[in-house]
Amino acid sequence: MTLKVYRSLLLLFLVNSVWTRTVRQVYDEMDPEHWSHYTFECPRECFCPPSFPNALYCDNKGLKEIPAIPARIWYLYLQNNLIETVSEKPFVNATHLRWINLNKNKITNSGIESGVLSKLKRLLYLFLEDNELEEVPAPLPVGLEQLRLARNKISRIPEGVFSNLENLTMLDLHQNSLLDSALQSDTFQGLNNLMQLNIAKNSLKKMPLSIPANTLQLFLDNNSIEVIPENYFSAIPKVTFLRLNYNKLSDDGIPTNGFNVSSILDLQLSHNQLTKIPPINAHLEHLHLDHNRIKSVNGTQICPVSIAVAEDYGFYGNIPRLRYLRLDGNEIQPPIPLDIMICFRLLQAVVI
């Protein structure tokens, strides 16, 4: 189970991080015999690197409009401009687009021509961060794999906007204006392969409804969440990384075994209102509880197995897997209790 999760997360990390390598691989895999079919005109406002004929760099040019995109382009960089509209005309010949970066412009929903995005049939990555969107744009390309909409003004998610996006693996909506009412029970319906959902820095007071079952990473930092519903994580049995930092969680808002979930490997509950450590699962590897109201730590109480059993475990026994524990910013005084070390034999770092 853990190996599968790490393989999936490694794939997501590589997709997110190694942009230039991806461009190079696509370039290398193209059949040179087909290059002659592409014209190598370059919009005068942009840069066309000879070594990457599929990429067009129009970023940081002060553009107010999108220039005509040549047919050969797969990767389009338009970030850091003054673009207000996304119309169909510049994309008439751009039928091979895989990637569009429109971050840090001035795009509004009314500035996006109806249907223009869904006509980009081969588009896999769409970046619209740091714009002026008030709702998730629709309709979207059905083959989309990543949709990044952070730092807009989004308060509304149109009904059914994600229903056909079965290939989407990442949805980033952090730092918008979402209320609980914007996330209905069917909002994420259709996102059957979603791996990462980021709704941090919004205005949520409740845990969102109907998170896709295959979600591995759920980020809900910087909201106003007070309660974890009973058995909430049974509906997302693969969740591995859970971030709930900077919320309003108290001891009363967490069910007895709310976080005793075998799939969770990294649990972050920093900057909440907890006075004690909630029960955890033996599979948990990283636990962040800094800047709460915890006054003491009792290893006997928080150990996922009894201390007597923990003492008897051999090196290869099924001992608790906690490796990192952060407790600074509470009211705990060192030294670390001995029973903590007896229970968590794999601990490599404790911050207190």
Side-chain angles (χ1 to χ4, degrees), residues 84-253:
E84 297 181 358
T85 60
V86 180
S87 60
E88 184 176 348
K89 185 178 179 181
F91 299 104
V92 169
N93 296 318
T95 57
H96 294 275
L97 276 174
R98 294 336 194 237
W99 171 306
I100 298 178
N101 188 333
L102 277 161
N103 291 346
K104 295 187 178 180
N105 278 283
K106 298 182 179 297
I107 299 167
T108 61
N109 287 93
S110 60
I112 300 177
E113 187 175 328
S114 179
V116 63
L117 296 176
S118 62
K119 291 178 181 177
L120 301 172
K121 302 295 185 182
R122 301 188 182 184
L123 196 66
L124 302 178
Y125 308 101
L126 177 59
F127 302 161
L128 281 163
E129 298 179 343
D130 295 284
N131 277 280
E132 298 178 13
L133 300 173
E134 295 184 349
E135 63 180 54
V136 175
L140 291 163
V142 296
L144 210 58
E145 294 183 4
Q146 287 194 20
L147 178 60
R148 299 181 181 238
L149 298 169
R151 295 178 298 276
N152 276 275
K153 303 174 182 177
I154 295 172
S155 61
R156 182 174 176 271
I157 301 178
E159 184 177 355
V161 67
F162 302 128
S163 60
N164 294 320
L165 303 187
E166 292 189 1
N167 293 327
L168 199 71
T169 59
M170 171 190 275
L171 176 58
D172 190 344
L173 288 162
H174 89 269
Q175 200 165 333
N176 276 284
S177 302
L178 293 170
L179 300 170
D180 296 319
S181 58
L183 305 180
Q184 300 299 314
S185 59
D186 60 350
T187 295
F188 301 113
Q189 185 174 345
L191 298 180
N192 299 327
N193 291 297
L194 195 71
M195 295 171 64
Q196 184 185 105
L197 177 60
N198 192 340
I199 326 177
K201 294 188 177 181
N202 277 278
S203 299
L204 304 180
K205 294 184 178 180
K206 300 177 181 179
M207 295 292 284
L209 300 172
S210 301
I211 299 297
N214 285 320
T215 302
L216 297 175
Q217 300 177 331
L218 179 59
F219 303 149
L220 292 163
D221 316 74
N222 292 90
N223 280 285
S224 299
I225 296 170
E226 298 179 356
V227 175
I228 307 294
E230 192 82 37
N231 299 319
Y232 181 84
F233 298 105
S234 62
I236 42 176
K238 297 181 181 180
V239 65
T240 306
F241 291 83
L242 178 62
R243 291 196 335 217
L244 279 159
N245 304 320
Y246 291 96
N247 276 282
K248 297 182 178 180
L249 289 170
S250 64
D251 302 328
D252 293 337

Side-chain angles (χ1 to χ4, degrees), residues 30 37-43 53-56 68-75 90-98 122:
M30 287 186 62
H37 295 291
Y38 293 100
T39 56
F40 280 79
E41 75 280 5
C42 184
N54 300 109
L56 181 62
I69 310 303
R72 71 177 188 278
I73 299 304
W74 289 27
Y75 296 86
F91 299 104
V92 169
N93 296 318
T95 57
H96 294 275
L97 276 174
R98 294 336 194 237
R122 301 188 182 184

